[in-house]
Amino acid sequence: FYSIDELDVWVRSKNGVQPYFFRDSISIYDREIQHKHPSFTFFFPGNATSEILIRLKNESSFEYAFAFFKPDMFYSKYFREYLY
């Protein structure tokens, strides 16, 4: 499979800015969530607007889809993905 070289995400909310960075050179075992694709845990304050800024850099052409999951739904999908 093809990987992403760099992915930077900033979540801006009333609590400030939360930065998240992914680099293909980071071992899967050193990632926040040990998954083959970039995965982050975001915290959104309730009853407030949040803005998500994304910068994606890749050497080759690439089609990428973004998805948001509640934690229990992500881990349910994550385990099924690796079991089958």
Side-chain angles (χ1 to χ4, degrees):
F1 70 94
Y2 297 100
S3 63
I4 295 171
D5 296 334
E6 296 180 9
L7 176 67
D8 299 337
V9 179
W10 296 270
V11 178
R12 188 176 2 209
S13 69
K14 68 180 182 180
N15 295 341
V17 177
Q18 301 171 20
Y20 301 87
F21 303 103
F22 172 86
R23 300 294 181 263
D24 186 45
S25 58
I26 299 172
S27 166
I28 194 168
Y29 300 105
D30 293 330
R31 298 176 187 173
E32 176 187 358
I33 298 173
Q34 294 179 358
H35 195 279
K36 61 185 174 183
H37 299 298
S39 302
F40 305 104
T41 303
F42 297 122
F43 296 98
F44 299 108
N47 300 319
T49 300
S50 297
E51 181 179 20
I52 300 172
L53 307 168
I54 299 171
R55 184 186 75 84
L56 179 66
K57 179 181 177 186
N58 213 45
E59 297 276 330
S60 59
S61 61
F62 196 82
E63 184 176 322
Y64 197 76
F66 294 92
F68 290 91
F69 293 93
K70 290 182 179 182
D72 57 331
M73 299 302 292
F74 173 79
Y75 289 110
S76 173
K77 179 182 179 344
Y78 170 74
F79 286 122
R80 282 195 312 268
E81 182 177 320
Y82 279 94
L83 288 175
Y84 301 107

